[in-house]
Amino acid sequence: MAKKKTIRTIPQERTPMREQEPRARAKNFEEVACGYDVGEALREAERCLLCPDQPCVSGCPVGIDIPGFIRKIGENNTRAAYDVIAETNLLAAVCGRVCPQETQCEEVCTVGESLEPVAIGRLERFVGDAAIREGWVNVPHIEANGFRVGIVGSGPAGMACAADMAKAGCEVTVFEAFHQPGGVLKYGIPDFRLPNGVVDAEIENLRRIGVRFECNTLVGRLFTIEQMVDELGFHAVFIGTGAGYPSMLGVPGDSLNGVLSANELLTRCNLMRARDAAFDTPIPLGKRVAVIGAGNTAMDAMRVCLRLGAEKVYCVYRRSRAECPARAEEVHHAEQEGIEFHWLTAPVAILDDGKGGVRGMRCIRMELGAPDDSGRRRPMPVAGSEFDFEADQVVYAIGTNANPIIGQTSRLKLDKRGYIATDESLATSMPGVFAGGDIVTGAATVIEAMGAGRRAARGMKAYLGLRDAARAAGGETLFGIDLGERNFVRLRAAA
Amino acid sequence: MEAARLSQFEIVAREDFSDVTYLLEVRHPLMAKAARPGQFVIVMAHERGERIPLTIADFDRSRGTITLVVQAVGKTTREMQQSCKVGSTLHAMVGPMGIPSPISGAKKVVCVGGGLGVAPIFPQARGFKEAGTYVIGVLGFRTKSLVFWEDKFRACCNELILCTDDGSAGLKGLVTEGIKRAIAKHRDIDEVVAIGPPVMMKGCAEATRPHKIKTLVSLNPIMVDGTGMCGGCRVKIGSEVKFACVDGPDFDGHLVDFDDLMTRLRRYTQVERAAAERWSANCRMKDLADPAAPAVELLELPDPFDDVKGG
Ligand SMILES: Cc1cc2nc3c(=O)[nH]c(=O)nc-3n(C[C@H](O)[C@H](O)[C@H](O)COP(=O)(O)OP(=O)(O)OC[C@H]3O[C@@H](n4cnc5c(N)ncnc54)[C@H](O)[C@@H]3O)c2cc1C
Ligand SMILES: Cc1cc2nc3c(=O)[nH]c(=O)nc-3n(C[C@H](O)[C@H](O)[C@H](O)COP(=O)(O)OP(=O)(O)OC[C@H]3O[C@@H](n4cnc5c(N)ncnc54)[C@H](O)[C@@H]3O)c2cc1C
Ligand code: SF4
Ligand code: SF4
Ligand code: FES
């Protein structure tokens, strides 16, 4: 019988994760963080106080039973830990790597009040990696119910919705425009942070529970959302097409060769494997690269350029480090690798080399003024502080707008900014059609997109009149019938 | 739905128009149903290939196929010239992409195609014809031996003006000559639609500008995804930046910044040239090793900006 743990009896220091040495890793695409081994995981699990009130769970957008799975790790039963996570999150190996834990689960961890919080993400990754290595997958007993569900987009939102609907017994087909599924996990986030193999393994798990993937399918153009419902026999549709449509700065020099969006750079590198000579897609190789922005996308673009052989990589961001929206760990890693950060600096123009390429950039210094709508202090230019520096490549990572294709080709109601309008249950203006992830909220996080996919799945099940096990257990019932369910007749008709 | 899955992007027919231009007919019933004039596809020849955009030059709903006409200009298109045989499959083909060309209520139009634009102008000419429009076709080729689809165009054009650089067939001169002639003869042209290399489209826009005739051009910047996600295909239209893959590919020719487009098309010229040279060197090596292999034609790498008509 274990003795009761207290903040004083647990290991005081957070268990460090082994990492590739910065100078070595800045030249390769191998993963930076190597993951915990069993001993390290056991030690870190020991730091969790298994708090009865579980504040960490409310910090996780999908509400993983965090003390539950950490307890199982502590009992050295990784398989059972996986079962706990798999109940709510099918992408443990992904989320453990890319969640901004410091603002989610770990931010509210009790241990974090006096020490470094429990490394929840790293433990989750440990379990996810073990599952992939051992080939664990929880294939529930699925009874087909005759409903067909179409999912548009194979990013985390689409995957999560697909998993839940497949588990509920629906025949699920995921349509993806690219030639490979995975969304941003595949084309955006580079291998040194999230190897494509990990994403493929998670997708394979979806296939094992019966989800079908149809790549090379541009929904809206090959067939419309309306046609999916009216002609192709889908009883419900989920749209998770992500954001996209990168913003351009709108400064002189925007269209010079050598100026490109982070999305283009990352897609060429990650999905098209342009860095490998055996693949045909070309990629620009800047020697001095300036990346504008300081979110996760910007960090990824900078670190990719470094690995492609750039001598100097600058980060140009108009706010200060405190406002930088990237995961803390990525900023730290980028600094270690030698990225030069220029906080409180805004681009004014991109300078032409006279041959259509980039010679440098003109920037202006900023200072922080009064808080703006977002609550962050608004950066204001300092008059007369312009300065030039040399660069031959400029990468924009300043955010994205809504992808227009579905809007152009359907009657779905959009919001003012062009994103798909939904209600609380993520239902759109068309009956049976749901939407979630970046195409509803604008660019967000992997786990939020997954959470949205699952929420939409709940809405979809209610719409189809399917029993939602989780809900039936907790929700109000009358003679065992879930009061949240609608459309009983449809269920019978289809069964 | 089965149709999408069953499409293995099989090449069901092929025709060679010249030593650099070839036609591929690819099976994809769902796409044949969805395609409209002016749209394009993105193709990957093999798993490690590049994603290249190609205009849908024709679609046949009853055969369930779409037709692509490709000009071999670089590594990918030359490699496809060798590997794409009847019965073989493409690794990927996605589309139809882009906003379909508006087949407006115009009474009289001029449809101009030059170089790699001859094939893609065809569905538009046919679309106009079917809508009851008086269609004047203007086609440009370098020389008589490169002429193709003359009969197809004759069938859907009320008038056809053929232009060749050397005068070996039709009018001697660039397509702009043909346009001038059409304008001189018909005072009531509502619209000109031009597809071809950027210099040619620029020339067409300049030819119609003084007459204030609405002129639509189909832009062909370098693309990656074709879904509005990367911004690589951005073009300058008047004071605005647009993404050709989702906002186009058709734009008002009088507003397009063609010089910007041409500069941006040269983005990867060096790398592309090197890749093509490496590739043909490789093919030669293979020939030496395997005497039975068919000889690879060692074409001079054409510069797509020399090779154009018009301007
Ligand atoms: C470079 C980069 C780094 C990031 N790093 C992090 C991180 O570290 N941590 C984190 O939590 N979040 C990160 N994010 C954000 C996170 O990846 C996204 O919020 C999340 O992927 C959104 O998921 P989604 O399912 O809504 O869309 P996406 O992942 O964008 O997937 C949408 C999919 O739909 C497809 N599609 C689009 N239109 C169509 C159509 N018409 N028909 C068929 N398919 C279509 C697209 O090709 C794509 O595959 C990062 C984002 C980027 C770009
Ligand atoms: C919307 C659209 C529709 C198109 N339709 C057709 C078509 O129907 N038939 C056809 O043959 N081609 C078409 N193209 C052009 C075709 O995509 C390119 O020729 C192809 O990508 C070249 O690939 P490559 O590897 O063979 O040559 P690369 O090695 O990539 O290029 C070789 C040379 O061609 C030039 N080039 C590259 N891309 C283009 C381009 N987009 N336009 C003009 N020149 C280019 C390069 O600058 C280089 O000098 C279209 C392009 C777009 C954007
Ligand atoms: S999914 Fe993300 S937020 Fe939730 S527990 Fe895991 S790391 Fe934390
Ligand atoms: S809040 Fe921290 S210590 Fe408490 S249960 Fe959650 S992870 Fe463990
Ligand atoms: S090709 Fe990527 S946005 Fe148009």
Side-chain angles (χ1 to χ4, degrees):
Chain A
M1 183 70 209
K3 359 180 221 339
K4 180 141 174 47
K5 289 194 268 191
T6 72
I7 191 85
R8 264 182 304 264
T9 63
I10 61 171
Q12 302 289 294
E13 299 277 316
R14 182 182 245 232
T15 316
M17 172 128 68
R18 280 162 298 123
E19 287 174 355
Q20 267 198 78
E21 198 267 316
R23 241 169 325 160
R25 75 183 189 230
K27 297 200 170 52
N28 67 45
F29 280 85
E30 307 292 317
E31 244 192 305
V32 167
C34 309
Y36 281 160
D37 62 20
V38 179
E40 288 161 333
L42 279 172
R43 179 179 182 279
E44 188 59 23
E46 192 47 36
R47 299 182 71 232
C48 171
L49 299 172
L50 305 173
C51 316
D53 57 339
Q54 317 185 332
C56 50
V57 176
S58 59
C60 169
V62 296
I64 292 181
D65 177 3
I66 296 168
F69 91 78
I70 297 184
R71 182 195 303 271
K72 296 295 177 198
I73 297 180
E75 292 167 3
N76 204 357
N77 189 347
T78 316
R79 170 81 225 213
Y82 177 70
D83 293 341
V84 174
I85 297 176
E87 259 174 51
T88 34
N89 181 2
L90 74 152
L91 301 179
V94 173
C95 293
R97 283 175 170 82
V98 304
C99 260
Q101 290 96 4
E102 68 274 9
T103 59
Q104 296 181 349
C105 51
E106 293 176 13
E107 183 178 36
V108 288
C109 166
T110 316
V111 173
E113 285 165 21
S114 31
L115 305 170
E116 279 255 46
V118 176
I120 302 170
R122 294 174 179 182
L123 289 172
E124 187 176 348
R125 167 179 171 178
F126 167 75
V127 176
D129 283 354
I132 292 177
R133 202 173 48 242
E134 306 293 331
W136 299 333
V137 49
N138 290 352
V139 182
H141 173 70
I142 297 173
E143 223 166 282
N145 60 27
F147 285 120
R148 300 181 64 208
V149 172
I151 309 267
V152 186
S154 63
M159 281 196 239
C161 187
D164 279 6
M165 296 315 287
K167 285 180 187 163
C170 301
E171 187 192 317
V172 180
T173 310
V174 179
F175 297 103
E176 168 58 47
F178 267 128
H179 52 286
Q180 287 181 20
V184 170
L185 306 182
K186 208 56 164 292
Y187 74 71
I189 304 181
D191 284 48
F192 54 83
R193 234 163 33 92
L194 175 62
N196 274 357
V198 171
V199 183
D200 288 335
E202 307 281 26
I203 287 166
E204 200 42 49
N205 282 348
L206 285 182
R207 288 209 170 94
R208 283 199 251 175
I209 60 171
V211 175
R212 236 173 58 187
F213 286 87
E214 291 290 357
C215 292
N216 299 303
T217 310
L218 182 64
V219 177
R221 293 276 170 219
L222 189 61
F223 44 79
T224 61
I225 301 290
E226 278 88 343
Q227 282 176 314
M228 287 178 78
V229 177
D230 297 340
E231 296 171 25
L232 298 172
F234 288 105
H235 300 100
V237 171
F238 174 77
I239 305 171
T241 48
Y245 214 93
S247 304
M248 295 288 144
L249 267 178
V251 300
D254 253 2
S255 66
L256 291 173
N257 290 343
V259 179
L260 75 168
S261 76
N263 276 1
E264 179 176 356
L265 175 82
L266 293 170
T267 305
R268 285 178 184 272
C269 178
N270 302 335
L271 180 74
M272 304 312 296
R273 311 311 266 186
R275 59 172 199 264
D276 180 340
F279 288 72
D280 289 344
T281 301
I283 194 161
L285 300 170
K287 286 279 161 242
R288 299 170 90 85
V289 185
V291 176
I292 323 278
N296 284 319
T297 312
M299 298 301 145
D300 286 345
M302 292 186 261
R303 298 170 70 197
V304 157
C305 289
L306 206 62
R307 283 161 175 76
L308 290 172
E311 285 152 17
K312 273 272 168 220
V313 180
Y314 310 100
C315 171
V316 177
Y317 185 53
R318 63 199 179 106
R319 299 176 192 262
S320 71
R321 177 167 185 158
E323 284 90 20
C324 154
R327 287 180 83 219
E329 190 182 358
E330 307 315 330
V331 184
H332 174 64
H333 281 157
E335 278 175 333
Q336 281 183 330
E337 289 168 14
I339 308 286
E340 238 178 71
F341 284 85
H342 294 271
W343 308 109
L344 290 168
T345 306
V348 177
I350 297 164
L351 309 174
D352 193 334
D353 68 357
K355 290 177 286 185
V358 173
R359 154 170 78 82
M361 255 178 71
R362 176 158 305 152
C363 290
I364 187 164
R365 303 250 181 251
M366 309 293 274
E367 59 189 9
L368 293 178
D372 63 11
D373 301 342
S374 71
R376 299 182 296 181
R377 294 179 62 195
R378 187 197 299 274
M380 312 282 283
V382 178
S385 66
E386 285 93 344
F387 65 100
D388 292 357
F389 65 90
E390 258 180 63
D392 57 4
Q393 187 178 324
V394 176
V395 182
Y396 288 174
I398 51 172
T400 51
N401 298 304
N403 189 304
I405 295 179
I406 299 290
Q408 281 170 350
T409 57
S410 75
R411 290 187 305 273
L412 283 174
K413 217 174 127 222
L414 307 180
D415 70 13
K416 283 195 295 292
R417 301 172 307 154
Y419 292 98
I420 298 178
T422 64
D423 68 9
E424 274 296 287
S425 71
L426 296 180
T428 67
S429 59
M430 266 169 71
V433 178
F434 295 74
D438 284 5
I439 191 61
V440 170
T441 55
T445 64
V446 171
I447 191 70
E448 279 166 321
M450 275 191 50
R454 304 204 64 201
R455 188 138 57 92
R458 272 199 297 282
M460 212 179 246
K461 285 185 229 171
Y463 169 79
L464 295 172
L466 297 173
R467 262 163 221 270
D468 186 328
R471 184 169 184 154
E476 268 184 86
T477 57
L478 184 66
F479 309 122
I481 296 171
D482 180 357
L483 292 179
E485 286 179 16
R486 284 178 265 152
N487 290 339
F488 264 94
V489 190
R490 287 197 69 165
L491 173 64
R492 299 247 160 77
Chain B
M1 210 45 29
E2 296 326 314
R5 195 163 68 107
L6 289 180
S7 179
Q8 302 295 322
F9 319 119
E10 187 194 348
I11 295 166
V12 296
R14 165 169 174 154
E15 193 180 332
D16 286 76
F17 294 139
S18 70
D19 54 4
V20 287
T21 313
Y22 54 99
L23 170 152
L24 302 174
E25 191 178 347
V26 189
R27 228 183 105 68
H28 195 320
L30 218 49
M31 201 183 305
K33 223 174 103 193
R36 299 281 179 283
Q39 291 187 302
F40 63 95
V41 292
I42 284 188
V43 164
M44 276 176 89
H46 55 83
E47 209 183 347
R48 296 175 167 200
E50 201 177 345
R51 293 170 64 90
I52 66 159
L54 296 168
T55 307
I56 300 177
D58 200 0
F59 43 87
D60 186 329
R61 300 203 169 131
S62 57
R63 280 167 62 87
T65 60
I66 69 147
T67 299
L68 309 172
V69 176
V70 191
Q71 201 167 52
V73 294
K75 176 181 181 224
T76 306
T77 44
R78 294 170 67 193
E79 196 176 39
M80 281 172 66
Q81 193 178 20
Q82 283 198 353
S83 65
C84 292
K85 308 212 169 80
V86 173
S88 72
T89 56
L90 297 169
H91 178 64
M93 182 171 79
V94 54
M97 291 174 153
I99 300 175
S101 302
I103 300 295
S104 59
K107 290 198 193 57
K108 199 175 267 185
V109 299
V110 182
C111 290
V112 190
L116 32 107
V118 171
I121 198 73
F122 172 72
Q124 305 218 36
R126 186 178 57 186
F128 275 116
K129 179 71 179 178
E130 284 167 0
T133 308
Y134 187 92
V135 182
I136 305 162
V138 177
L139 304 182
F141 296 94
R142 211 175 331 139
T143 180
K144 184 171 179 187
S145 63
L146 299 179
V147 175
F148 66 91
W149 278 13
E150 191 180 339
D151 47 337
K152 272 181 91 144
F153 276 96
R154 290 223 182 268
C156 72
C157 293
N158 300 73
E159 286 177 42
L160 186 69
I161 305 175
L162 196 63
C163 313
T164 48
D165 289 7
D166 57 4
S168 53
L171 198 72
K172 178 171 160 61
L174 307 172
V175 289
T176 39
E177 277 314 306
I179 296 176
K180 284 183 191 141
R181 207 169 271 207
I183 294 176
K185 183 169 167 201
H186 300 270
R187 291 272 141 212
D188 54 348
I189 293 168
D190 300 303
E191 199 174 312
V192 172
V193 187
I195 308 185
V199 213
M200 180 209 102
M201 293 190 286
K202 183 180 179 183
C204 296
E206 290 320 318
T208 58
R209 198 189 297 273
H211 304 278
K212 297 201 172 54
I213 301 172
K214 180 175 156 197
T215 301
L216 277 181
V217 293
S218 172
L219 301 189
N220 57 348
I222 295 174
M223 295 187 174
V224 182
D225 54 307
T227 63
M229 193 274 295
C230 78
C233 64
R234 62 189 190 274
V235 287
K236 278 195 200 161
I237 311 296
S239 59
E240 286 182 284
V241 173
K242 298 275 187 189
F243 290 3
C245 67
V246 286
D247 301 324
D250 290 352
F251 294 98
D252 179 345
H254 294 151
L255 295 179
V256 171
D257 183 339
F258 285 102
D259 296 333
D260 176 71
L261 173 67
M262 287 186 262
T263 310
R264 288 188 54 75
L265 274 171
R266 292 198 189 94
R267 274 210 292 167
Y268 295 108
T269 309
Q270 277 175 5
V271 204
E272 283 159 350
R273 219 159 261 199
E277 273 154 20
R278 256 199 323 275
W279 176 77
S280 27
N282 245 332
C283 291
R284 250 171 299 175
M285 301 269 287
K286 260 191 240 141
D287 285 347
L288 292 178
D290 174 11
V296 181
E297 273 182 79
L298 286 173
L299 303 166
E300 262 294 287
L301 262 190
D303 181 334
F305 303 102
D306 291 345
D307 185 38
V308 296
K309 328 253 113 0

